[in-house]
Coordinates of all heavy atoms in Angstrom, one line a residue:
M1 N 0.8 -1.2 0.0 CA 0.0 0.0 0.0 C 0.9 1.2 0.0 O 2.0 1.3 0.6 CB -0.9 0.1 1.3 CG -2.0 -0.9 1.3 SD -3.0 -0.5 2.8 CE -4.1 -1.9 2.7
A2 N 0.4 2.3 -0.6 CA 1.0 3.6 -0.4 C 0.4 4.1 1.0 O -0.5 3.5 1.6 CB 0.5 4.5 -1.5
L3 N 1.1 5.1 1.5 CA 0.6 5.7 2.7 C -0.1 7.0 2.4 O 0.0 7.5 1.2 CB 1.8 6.0 3.7 CG 2.1 4.8 4.6 CD1 2.6 3.6 3.8 CD2 3.2 5.2 5.6
M4 N -0.8 7.6 3.4 CA -1.4 8.9 3.1 C -1.3 9.7 4.4 O -1.1 9.3 5.5 CB -2.9 8.6 2.8 CG -3.7 7.9 3.9 SD -5.4 7.6 3.5 CE -6.1 9.3 3.8
I5 N -1.4 11.1 4.2 CA -1.3 12.0 5.3 C -2.8 12.6 5.5 O -3.4 13.0 4.6 CB -0.3 13.1 4.9 CG1 1.1 12.6 4.9 CG2 -0.4 14.2 6.0 CD1 2.1 13.5 4.4
T6 N -3.2 12.5 6.7 CA -4.6 12.9 7.1 C -4.5 14.4 7.4 O -3.5 15.1 7.5 CB -5.1 12.2 8.3 OG1 -4.4 12.6 9.4 CG2 -5.0 10.7 8.1
D7 N -5.8 15.0 7.6 CA -5.9 16.4 7.9 C -5.4 16.7 9.3 O -5.6 17.9 9.8 CB -7.3 17.0 7.6 CG -8.3 16.3 8.4 OD1 -8.0 15.5 9.3 OD2 -9.5 16.5 8.1
E8 N -4.9 15.8 10.1 CA -4.4 16.0 11.4 C -2.9 16.5 11.3 O -2.3 16.9 12.3 CB -4.4 14.8 12.2 CG -5.8 14.4 12.7 CD -5.8 13.0 13.3 OE1 -4.9 12.8 14.1 OE2 -6.7 12.3 13.1
C9 N -2.4 16.5 10.0 CA -1.0 17.0 9.8 C -0.9 18.5 10.3 O -1.8 19.3 10.0 CB -0.8 17.0 8.3 SG 0.8 17.8 7.8
I10 N 0.2 18.8 11.0 CA 0.4 20.1 11.5 C 1.5 20.9 10.7 O 2.0 21.9 11.1 CB 0.8 20.1 13.0 CG1 2.1 19.2 13.2 CG2 -0.3 19.5 13.9 CD1 2.7 19.3 14.6
N11 N 1.8 20.3 9.5 CA 2.7 21.0 8.6 C 4.1 21.3 9.3 O 4.6 22.4 9.1 CB 2.1 22.3 8.0 CG 0.9 22.0 7.2 OD1 0.8 20.9 6.6 ND2 -0.1 22.9 7.1
C12 N 4.6 20.3 9.9 CA 5.8 20.6 10.7 C 7.1 20.5 9.8 O 8.2 20.7 10.2 CB 5.9 19.6 11.8 SG 6.3 17.9 11.3
D13 N 6.9 20.0 8.5 CA 8.0 20.0 7.5 C 9.0 18.8 7.8 O 10.0 18.8 7.0 CB 8.7 21.3 7.4 CG 7.9 22.5 7.2 OD1 6.8 22.3 6.5 OD2 8.2 23.6 7.7
V14 N 8.8 18.0 8.7 CA 9.8 17.0 9.1 C 9.8 15.8 8.1 O 10.9 15.3 7.8 CB 9.5 16.5 10.5 CG1 10.4 15.3 10.8 CG2 9.8 17.6 11.6
C15 N 8.7 15.4 7.6 CA 8.7 14.2 6.8 C 9.2 14.4 5.4 O 9.8 13.5 4.8 CB 7.3 13.6 6.8 SG 6.0 14.7 6.1
E16 N 8.9 15.5 4.8 CA 9.2 15.8 3.4 C 10.6 15.4 3.0 O 10.9 14.7 2.1 CB 8.8 17.2 3.0 CG 8.8 17.5 1.5 CD 10.2 18.0 1.1 OE1 10.9 18.6 2.0 OE2 10.5 17.9 -0.1
P17 N 11.6 15.9 3.8 CA 13.0 15.6 3.4 C 13.4 14.2 3.7 O 14.5 13.7 3.2 CB 13.9 16.6 4.2 CG 13.0 17.0 5.3 CD 11.6 16.9 4.9
E18 N 12.7 13.5 4.5 CA 13.0 12.1 4.8 C 12.6 11.1 3.8 O 13.1 9.9 3.7 CB 12.4 11.7 6.2 CG 12.8 12.5 7.3 CD 14.3 12.4 7.6 OE1 14.9 11.3 7.4 OE2 14.9 13.4 8.0
C19 N 11.7 11.5 2.9 CA 11.2 10.5 1.9 C 12.2 10.2 0.8 O 12.6 11.1 0.1 CB 9.9 11.0 1.3 SG 9.2 9.9 0.0
P20 N 12.6 9.0 0.6 CA 13.6 8.6 -0.4 C 13.1 8.7 -1.8 O 13.8 8.6 -2.8 CB 14.0 7.2 0.0 CG 12.8 6.6 0.6 CD 12.2 7.8 1.4
N21 N 11.7 8.8 -1.9 CA 11.1 8.8 -3.3 C 10.6 10.1 -3.7 O 9.9 10.2 -4.7 CB 10.0 7.7 -3.3 CG 10.5 6.3 -3.2 OD1 11.6 6.0 -3.7 ND2 9.8 5.5 -2.5
Q22 N 10.8 11.1 -2.9 CA 10.2 12.5 -3.2 C 8.7 12.4 -3.4 O 8.2 12.9 -4.3 CB 10.9 13.1 -4.4 CG 12.3 13.6 -4.1 CD 13.3 12.5 -4.2 OE1 13.3 11.7 -5.2 NE2 14.2 12.4 -3.2
A23 N 8.1 11.6 -2.5 CA 6.6 11.3 -2.7 C 5.8 12.4 -1.9 O 4.6 12.4 -2.0 CB 6.3 9.9 -2.2
I24 N 6.5 13.1 -1.0 CA 5.7 14.0 -0.1 C 5.9 15.5 -0.6 O 7.0 15.9 -0.8 CB 6.3 13.9 1.4 CG1 6.1 12.4 1.8 CG2 5.5 14.8 2.3 CD1 6.8 12.1 3.2
A25 N 4.8 16.2 -0.6 CA 4.8 17.6 -1.0 C 3.7 18.3 -0.4 O 2.7 17.7 0.1 CB 4.7 17.7 -2.6
M26 N 3.8 19.6 -0.2 CA 2.8 20.4 0.4 C 1.6 20.5 -0.5 O 1.7 20.7 -1.7 CB 3.4 21.8 0.6 CG 2.5 22.7 1.5 SD 2.3 22.1 3.2 CE 1.0 23.1 3.7
G27 N 0.4 20.2 0.1 CA -0.8 20.4 -0.7 C -1.5 21.7 -0.4 O -0.8 22.6 0.1
E28 N -2.7 21.8 -0.7 CA -3.4 23.1 -0.4 C -3.4 23.5 1.0 O -3.3 24.7 1.4 CB -4.8 23.1 -1.0 CG -4.8 23.2 -2.5 CD -6.2 23.5 -3.1 OE1 -7.1 23.9 -2.3 OE2 -6.4 23.2 -4.3
E29 N -3.7 22.5 1.9 CA -3.8 22.8 3.3 C -2.8 22.1 4.2 O -2.5 22.5 5.3 CB -5.3 22.4 3.8 CG -6.3 23.3 3.1 CD -7.7 23.0 3.6 OE1 -7.9 22.0 4.4 OE2 -8.6 23.6 3.2
H30 N -2.3 20.9 3.7 CA -1.3 20.2 4.5 C -0.5 19.3 3.5 O -0.9 19.2 2.4 CB -1.9 19.4 5.6 CG -3.0 18.4 5.2 ND1 -2.6 17.2 4.6 CD2 -4.3 18.4 5.2 CE1 -3.7 16.5 4.3 NE2 -4.8 17.3 4.6
Y31 N 0.5 18.7 4.1 CA 1.3 17.8 3.2 C 0.5 16.6 2.7 O -0.4 16.2 3.4 CB 2.6 17.3 4.0 CG 3.7 18.3 4.0 CD1 3.7 19.3 5.0 CD2 4.7 18.3 3.1 CE1 4.8 20.3 5.1 CE2 5.7 19.3 3.1 CZ 5.7 20.2 4.1 OH 6.7 21.1 4.1
L32 N 0.9 16.2 1.5 CA 0.2 15.0 0.9 C 1.3 14.1 0.4 O 2.4 14.4 0.1 CB -0.6 15.5 -0.2 CG -1.8 16.5 0.1 CD1 -2.4 17.0 -1.2 CD2 -2.8 15.8 1.0
I33 N 0.9 12.8 0.2 CA 1.7 11.8 -0.4 C 1.2 11.4 -1.7 O 0.0 11.1 -1.9 CB 1.8 10.5 0.5 CG1 2.5 10.9 1.9 CG2 2.5 9.4 -0.2 CD1 2.5 9.7 2.9
D34 N 2.1 11.4 -2.7 CA 1.8 11.0 -4.1 C 1.8 9.4 -4.1 O 2.9 8.8 -3.9 CB 2.8 11.5 -5.1 CG 2.5 11.0 -6.5 OD1 1.7 10.1 -6.7 OD2 3.2 11.5 -7.4
P35 N 0.6 8.8 -4.2 CA 0.6 7.3 -4.1 C 1.4 6.6 -5.2 O 1.8 5.5 -5.0 CB -0.9 6.9 -4.1 CG -1.5 8.1 -4.7 CD -0.7 9.3 -4.4
D36 N 1.6 7.3 -6.3 CA 2.4 6.7 -7.4 C 3.9 6.7 -7.1 O 4.7 6.1 -7.8 CB 2.1 7.5 -8.7 CG 0.7 7.3 -9.2 OD1 0.2 6.2 -8.9 OD2 0.2 8.2 -9.9
R37 N 4.3 7.4 -6.0 CA 5.7 7.5 -5.7 C 6.0 6.8 -4.3 O 7.2 6.6 -4.0 CB 6.2 8.9 -5.7 CG 6.1 9.6 -7.0 CD 6.9 11.0 -7.0 NE 8.3 10.8 -6.9 CZ 9.1 10.6 -7.9 NH1 8.6 10.6 -9.1 NH2 10.4 10.4 -7.7
C38 N 5.0 6.5 -3.5 CA 5.2 5.9 -2.2 C 5.3 4.4 -2.3 O 4.4 3.8 -2.8 CB 4.1 6.3 -1.2 SG 4.3 5.5 0.4
T39 N 6.4 3.9 -1.9 CA 6.6 2.4 -1.9 C 6.6 1.9 -0.4 O 7.0 0.7 -0.2 CB 8.0 2.1 -2.5 OG1 9.0 2.6 -1.6 CG2 8.1 2.6 -3.9
E40 N 6.1 2.6 0.5 CA 6.2 2.3 2.0 C 7.7 2.2 2.3 O 8.1 1.5 3.2 CB 5.6 0.9 2.3 CG 4.1 1.0 2.3 CD 3.5 -0.4 2.7 OE1 4.0 -1.0 3.7 OE2 2.5 -0.8 2.1
C41 N 8.5 2.9 1.5 CA 10.0 2.9 1.7 C 10.6 1.5 1.2 O 11.8 1.4 1.5 CB 10.4 3.3 3.1 SG 10.3 5.0 3.4
V42 N 9.9 0.6 0.7 CA 10.4 -0.6 0.1 C 11.5 -0.3 -0.9 O 11.4 0.6 -1.7 CB 9.3 -1.4 -0.6 CG1 9.9 -2.5 -1.5 CG2 8.5 -2.1 0.5
G43 N 12.7 -0.9 -0.7 CA 13.8 -0.7 -1.6 C 14.8 0.2 -0.9 O 16.0 0.3 -1.4
H44 N 14.4 1.0 0.1 CA 15.3 2.0 0.7 C 15.5 1.7 2.2 O 16.6 1.7 2.7 CB 14.7 3.4 0.6 CG 14.7 3.9 -0.8 ND1 15.8 4.4 -1.5 CD2 13.6 3.9 -1.7 CE1 15.4 4.7 -2.7 NE2 14.1 4.5 -2.9
F45 N 14.4 1.4 2.9 CA 14.4 1.3 4.4 C 13.5 0.2 4.8 O 12.5 -0.2 4.1 CB 14.0 2.6 5.1 CG 14.9 3.7 4.7 CD1 14.5 4.7 3.8 CD2 16.2 3.9 5.3 CE1 15.3 5.8 3.5 CE2 17.0 5.0 5.0 CZ 16.6 5.9 4.1
D46 N 13.7 -0.4 6.0 CA 12.8 -1.4 6.5 C 11.5 -0.9 7.0 O 10.5 -1.6 7.1 CB 13.5 -2.1 7.7 CG 14.7 -3.0 7.2 OD1 14.7 -3.3 6.0 OD2 15.6 -3.3 8.0
E47 N 11.5 0.4 7.4 CA 10.3 1.0 7.9 C 10.0 2.3 7.2 O 10.9 3.0 6.7 CB 10.5 1.4 9.4 CG 10.8 0.2 10.3 CD 9.6 -0.7 10.6 OE1 8.4 -0.2 10.4 OE2 9.8 -1.8 10.9
P48 N 8.7 2.6 7.0 CA 8.3 3.9 6.4 C 9.0 5.1 7.2 O 8.7 5.3 8.4 CB 6.8 4.0 6.5 CG 6.4 2.5 6.5 CD 7.5 1.9 7.4
Q49 N 9.8 5.8 6.5 CA 10.5 6.9 7.2 C 9.6 8.0 7.7 O 9.8 8.6 8.8 CB 11.6 7.4 6.3 CG 12.7 6.4 6.0 CD 13.4 5.9 7.2 OE1 14.2 6.6 7.8 NE2 13.1 4.6 7.6
C50 N 8.6 8.3 6.9 CA 7.7 9.4 7.3 C 7.0 9.1 8.6 O 6.8 10.0 9.4 CB 6.8 9.8 6.2 SG 5.8 8.4 5.6
V51 N 6.6 7.8 8.7 CA 5.9 7.4 9.9 C 6.8 7.5 11.1 O 6.4 7.9 12.2 CB 5.3 6.0 9.7 CG1 4.7 5.5 11.0 CG2 4.3 5.9 8.6
Q52 N 8.1 7.2 10.9 CA 9.0 7.2 12.0 C 9.2 8.6 12.6 O 9.4 8.8 13.8 CB 10.4 6.7 11.5 CG 10.4 5.3 11.0 CD 10.4 4.3 12.0 OE1 11.1 4.3 13.0 NE2 9.5 3.3 11.9
V53 N 9.1 9.6 11.7 CA 9.4 11.0 12.2 C 8.2 11.8 12.5 O 8.3 12.8 13.2 CB 10.3 11.7 11.2 CG1 11.6 11.0 11.0 CG2 9.6 11.9 9.9
C54 N 7.0 11.4 12.1 CA 5.8 12.3 12.3 C 5.5 12.4 13.7 O 5.2 11.4 14.4 CB 4.7 11.7 11.5 SG 3.2 12.7 11.7
P55 N 5.4 13.6 14.3 CA 5.1 13.8 15.7 C 3.7 13.6 16.1 O 3.4 13.4 17.3 CB 5.6 15.2 16.0 CG 5.4 15.9 14.7 CD 5.7 14.9 13.6
V56 N 2.8 13.6 15.1 CA 1.4 13.5 15.5 C 0.7 12.2 14.9 O -0.5 12.0 15.0 CB 0.6 14.7 15.0 CG1 1.1 16.0 15.7 CG2 0.7 14.9 13.5
E57 N 1.5 11.3 14.4 CA 1.0 10.0 13.9 C -0.2 10.1 13.0 O -1.2 9.5 13.2 CB 0.7 9.1 15.1 CG 1.9 8.9 16.0 CD 1.7 7.9 17.1 OE1 0.6 7.3 17.1 OE2 2.5 7.8 18.0
C58 N 0.0 10.9 11.9 CA -1.1 11.2 11.0 C -0.9 10.6 9.6 O -1.4 11.1 8.6 CB -1.4 12.7 10.9 SG -0.1 13.6 10.1
I59 N 0.0 9.5 9.6 CA 0.3 8.9 8.3 C -0.1 7.4 8.3 O 0.7 6.5 8.5 CB 1.8 9.1 7.9 CG1 2.2 10.5 8.2 CG2 2.0 8.7 6.5 CD1 3.7 10.8 7.9
P60 N -1.4 7.1 8.0 CA -1.8 5.7 8.0 C -1.6 5.1 6.6 O -1.3 5.9 5.6 CB -3.3 5.8 8.3 CG -3.7 7.1 7.8 CD -2.5 8.1 7.9
L61 N -1.9 3.8 6.4 CA -2.0 3.2 5.1 C -3.1 3.8 4.3 O -4.2 4.2 4.9 CB -2.1 1.7 5.2 CG -0.9 1.0 5.8 CD1 -1.3 -0.4 6.2 CD2 0.2 1.0 4.8
N62 N -2.9 3.9 3.0 CA -4.0 4.5 2.1 C -4.9 3.3 1.7 O -4.5 2.5 0.8 CB -3.3 5.1 0.9 CG -4.3 5.8 0.0 OD1 -5.5 5.5 0.1 ND2 -3.8 6.7 -0.8
P63 N -6.1 3.2 2.2 CA -7.0 2.1 1.8 C -7.4 2.1 0.3 O -7.8 1.1 -0.2 CB -8.2 2.3 2.7 CG -8.2 3.7 3.0 CD -6.8 4.2 3.1
Q64 N -7.1 3.2 -0.3 CA -7.4 3.3 -1.8 C -6.3 2.6 -2.6 O -6.5 2.4 -3.8 CB -7.6 4.7 -2.2 CG -8.6 5.5 -1.4 CD -10.0 5.0 -1.6 OE1 -10.4 4.6 -2.7 NE2 -10.7 5.0 -0.5
R65 N -5.2 2.3 -1.9 CA -4.0 1.8 -2.7 C -3.5 0.6 -2.0 O -2.4 0.6 -1.4 CB -2.9 2.9 -2.8 CG -3.3 4.1 -3.7 CD -3.5 3.7 -5.1 NE -2.2 3.3 -5.7 CZ -1.6 4.1 -6.6 NH1 -2.0 5.3 -6.9 NH2 -0.4 3.7 -7.1
V66 N -4.2 -0.5 -2.1 CA -3.8 -1.8 -1.6 C -2.8 -2.4 -2.5 O -3.2 -2.8 -3.7 CB -5.0 -2.7 -1.3 CG1 -4.5 -4.1 -0.8 CG2 -6.0 -2.1 -0.4
E67 N -1.6 -2.5 -2.1 CA -0.5 -3.0 -3.0 C 0.4 -4.0 -2.3 O 1.0 -3.7 -1.3 CB 0.4 -1.8 -3.5 CG -0.4 -0.8 -4.3 CD 0.3 0.5 -4.5 OE1 0.9 1.0 -3.5 OE2 0.4 1.0 -5.6
P68 N 0.4 -5.3 -2.8 CA 1.3 -6.3 -2.1 C 2.8 -5.9 -2.4 O 3.1 -5.1 -3.3 CB 0.9 -7.6 -2.8 CG 0.3 -7.2 -4.1 CD -0.4 -5.8 -3.9
Q69 N 3.6 -6.6 -1.7 CA 5.1 -6.3 -1.8 C 5.6 -6.3 -3.2 O 6.4 -5.4 -3.6 CB 5.9 -7.4 -1.0 CG 5.7 -7.1 0.5 CD 6.6 -6.0 1.0 OE1 7.8 -5.9 0.6 NE2 6.1 -5.2 1.9
P70 N 5.3 -7.3 -4.1 CA 5.8 -7.3 -5.5 C 5.4 -6.0 -6.2 O 6.2 -5.5 -7.0 CB 5.2 -8.5 -6.1 CG 4.8 -9.4 -5.0 CD 4.5 -8.5 -3.8
V71 N 4.3 -5.5 -5.9 CA 3.9 -4.3 -6.6 C 4.7 -3.1 -6.1 O 5.1 -2.2 -6.9 CB 2.3 -4.0 -6.4 CG1 1.9 -2.6 -7.0 CG2 1.5 -5.1 -7.0
L72 N 5.0 -3.1 -4.8 CA 5.8 -2.0 -4.2 C 7.2 -2.1 -4.8 O 7.8 -1.1 -5.1 CB 5.8 -2.1 -2.7 CG 4.5 -1.9 -2.0 CD1 4.6 -2.2 -0.5 CD2 4.0 -0.5 -2.2
W73 N 7.7 -3.3 -5.0 CA 9.1 -3.4 -5.5 C 9.1 -3.0 -7.0 O 10.0 -2.4 -7.5 CB 9.5 -4.9 -5.4 CG 10.2 -5.2 -4.1 CD1 9.6 -5.9 -3.1 CD2 11.5 -4.8 -3.7 NE1 10.5 -6.0 -2.0 CE2 11.6 -5.3 -2.4 CE3 12.5 -4.1 -4.3 CZ2 12.8 -5.1 -1.6 CZ3 13.7 -3.9 -3.5 CH2 13.8 -4.4 -2.2
A74 N 8.0 -3.3 -7.7 CA 7.9 -2.9 -9.1 C 7.9 -1.3 -9.2 O 8.5 -0.7 -10.1 CB 6.7 -3.5 -9.8
K75 N 7.2 -0.7 -8.3 CA 7.1 0.7 -8.2 C 8.5 1.3 -7.9 O 8.9 2.3 -8.5 CB 6.1 1.2 -7.1 CG 5.7 2.6 -7.2 CD 4.9 3.1 -6.0 CE 3.6 2.3 -5.8 NZ 2.8 2.9 -4.7
Y76 N 9.2 0.7 -6.9 CA 10.5 1.1 -6.6 C 11.4 1.1 -7.8 O 12.2 2.0 -8.1 CB 11.1 0.2 -5.5 CG 12.6 0.3 -5.3 CD1 13.2 1.4 -4.7 CD2 13.4 -0.8 -5.7 CE1 14.5 1.5 -4.6 CE2 14.8 -0.7 -5.6 CZ 15.3 0.4 -5.0 OH 16.7 0.5 -4.9
R77 N 11.4 -0.1 -8.6 CA 12.3 -0.2 -9.7 C 11.9 0.8 -10.8 O 12.8 1.4 -11.5 CB 12.2 -1.6 -10.3 CG 12.9 -2.6 -9.4 CD 13.1 -4.0 -10.1 NE 11.8 -4.7 -10.3 CZ 11.3 -5.5 -9.3 NH1 12.0 -5.8 -8.3 NH2 10.2 -6.1 -9.5
R78 N 10.6 1.1 -11.0 CA 10.2 2.1 -12.0 C 10.7 3.5 -11.6 O 11.3 4.2 -12.4 CB 8.7 2.1 -12.1 CG 8.1 3.2 -13.0 CD 6.6 3.2 -13.1 NE 5.9 3.3 -11.9 CZ 5.7 4.5 -11.2 NH1 6.2 5.6 -11.7 NH2 5.1 4.5 -10.1
L79 N 10.6 3.8 -10.3 CA 11.1 5.1 -9.8 C 12.6 5.2 -10.0 O 13.2 6.2 -10.4 CB 10.7 5.3 -8.4 CG 9.3 5.6 -8.1 CD1 8.9 5.5 -6.6 CD2 8.8 6.9 -8.7
Q80 N 13.3 4.1 -9.7 CA 14.8 4.1 -9.8 C 15.2 4.3 -11.3 O 16.2 4.9 -11.6 CB 15.4 2.8 -9.3 CG 15.3 2.7 -7.8 CD 16.0 3.9 -7.1 OE1 15.4 4.7 -6.5 NE2 17.3 3.9 -7.2
S81 N 14.5 3.6 -12.2 CA 14.9 3.8 -13.6 C 14.6 5.2 -14.1 O 15.4 5.7 -14.9 CB 14.1 2.8 -14.5 OG 12.7 3.1 -14.5
G82 N 13.6 5.8 -13.5 CA 13.4 7.3 -13.8 C 14.6 8.1 -13.3 O 15.0 9.0 -13.9
V83 N 15.1 7.8 -12.1 CA 16.2 8.5 -11.5 C 17.4 8.3 -12.4 O 18.1 9.3 -12.7 CB 16.5 8.0 -10.1 CG1 17.9 8.5 -9.6 CG2 15.4 8.4 -9.1
A84 N 17.6 7.1 -12.9 CA 18.8 6.8 -13.7 C 18.7 7.6 -15.0 O 19.7 8.1 -15.5 CB 18.9 5.3 -14.0
A85 N 17.5 7.6 -15.6 CA 17.3 8.3 -16.9 C 17.5 9.8 -16.6 O 18.2 10.5 -17.5 CB 15.9 8.1 -17.4
S86 N 17.1 10.3 -15.5 CA 17.2 11.7 -15.2 C 18.7 12.1 -15.0 O 19.2 13.0 -15.6 CB 16.5 12.1 -13.9 OG 16.9 13.3 -13.4
N87 N 19.4 11.2 -14.3 CA 20.9 11.4 -14.1 C 21.6 11.4 -15.5 O 22.6 12.1 -15.7 CB 21.4 10.4 -13.2 CG 21.0 10.6 -11.7 OD1 20.5 11.7 -11.4 ND2 21.2 9.7 -10.9
A88 N 21.2 10.4 -16.3 CA 21.9 10.3 -17.6 C 21.7 11.6 -18.4 O 22.6 12.1 -19.1 CB 21.3 9.1 -18.4
T89 N 20.5 12.2 -18.3 CA 20.2 13.4 -19.0 C 21.1 14.5 -18.6 O 21.6 15.3 -19.3 CB 18.7 13.8 -18.9 OG1 17.9 12.6 -19.3 CG2 18.4 15.0 -19.7
T90 N 21.3 14.6 -17.2 CA 22.0 15.7 -16.7 C 23.5 15.4 -16.6 O 24.3 16.2 -16.2 CB 21.5 16.0 -15.3 OG1 21.6 14.9 -14.4 CG2 20.0 16.5 -15.3
G91 N 23.9 14.1 -16.9 CA 25.3 13.8 -16.9 C 25.8 13.5 -15.5 O 27.0 13.4 -15.4
T92 N 24.9 13.3 -14.5 CA 25.4 13.1 -13.2 C 26.0 11.8 -12.9 O 26.6 11.5 -11.9 CB 24.3 13.4 -12.1 OG1 23.2 12.7 -12.5 CG2 24.0 14.9 -12.1
T93 N 25.8 10.8 -13.8 CA 26.3 9.5 -13.6 C 27.5 9.2 -14.5 O 28.0 8.1 -14.6 CB 25.2 8.4 -14.0 OG1 24.7 8.6 -15.3 CG2 24.1 8.5 -12.9
E94 N 28.1 10.2 -15.1 CA 29.2 10.0 -16.0 C 30.4 9.5 -15.2 O 30.6 9.9 -14.0 CB 29.6 11.4 -16.6 CG 28.8 11.8 -17.8 CD 29.2 13.1 -18.4 OE1 30.4 13.5 -18.1 OE2 28.5 13.7 -19.1
V95 N 31.1 8.6 -15.8 CA 32.3 8.0 -15.1 C 33.5 8.2 -16.0 O 33.4 8.3 -17.2 CB 32.1 6.5 -14.8 CG1 31.1 6.4 -13.7 CG2 31.7 5.8 -16.0
G96 N 34.7 8.2 -15.4 CA 35.9 8.2 -16.1 C 36.1 9.5 -16.9 O 36.9 9.6 -17.8
Ligands
SF4_101 FE1 8.0 8.4 1.3 FE2 8.5 6.1 2.6 FE3 6.7 7.8 3.5 FE4 6.1 6.5 1.3 S1 6.5 5.6 3.3 S2 5.8 8.7 1.6 S3 8.1 6.3 0.4 S4 8.9 8.2 3.4
SF4_102 FE1 2.5 16.6 8.7 FE2 3.5 14.5 10.1 FE3 4.7 15.3 7.9 FE4 4.8 16.8 10.1 S1 5.7 14.8 9.8 S2 4.4 17.5 8.0 S3 2.8 16.5 10.9 S4 2.7 14.4 8.0

């Protein structure tokens, strides 16, 4: 599953920089999670990093996005290939 941020969010800004997938961004009233980018941190960490740091525990699983582990891994790989393509474009992965 992807995770989601509820309206109990106090906009403390702590979770956004912790997300390895850049899935968290400020919405109209509070921070939101892009479910297409949230892997529950699969591929990066053992635990969802945003949940670890949120002081008000307002980041539950998103019931609209029930995704088993293989789907989360596939999402992770898709996001990584996007990162690789982006780096190739900007030349940040050049070697030698
Ligand atoms: Fe980002 Fe991980 Fe939180 Fe999903 S669970 S929003 S990938 S920090
Ligand atoms: Fe909102 Fe929790 Fe993120 Fe702070 S850590 S911005 S309260 S979701």
Side-chain angles (χ1 to χ4, degrees):
M1 287 187 185
L3 274 64
M4 59 181 283
I5 294 174
T6 72
D7 60 10
E8 290 172 41
C9 170
I10 58 172
N11 297 331
C12 73
D13 306 327
V14 169
C15 59
E16 189 268 338
E18 298 298 326
C19 179
N21 292 325
Q22 288 80 49
I24 303 174
M26 189 65 191
E28 284 191 18
E29 296 184 356
H30 58 78
Y31 278 88
L32 297 171
I33 292 174
D34 178 350
D36 291 332
R37 298 189 69 87
C38 176
T39 63
E40 287 183 46
C41 285
V42 162
H44 295 281
F45 300 101
D46 291 339
E47 299 287 339
Q49 298 299 289
C50 54
V51 175
Q52 301 284 310
V53 299
C54 180
V56 295
E57 300 182 11
C58 67
I59 314 181
L61 290 167
N62 184 341
Q64 306 296 320
R65 292 294 291 258
V66 179
E67 297 165 315
Q69 287 281 320
V71 175
L72 295 172
W73 276 104
K75 194 190 298 187
Y76 164 74
R77 285 192 291 270
R78 176 177 57 77
L79 290 167
Q80 288 303 109
S81 66
V83 169
S86 167
N87 286 347
T89 304
T90 58
T92 52
T93 55
E94 280 180 18
V95 290

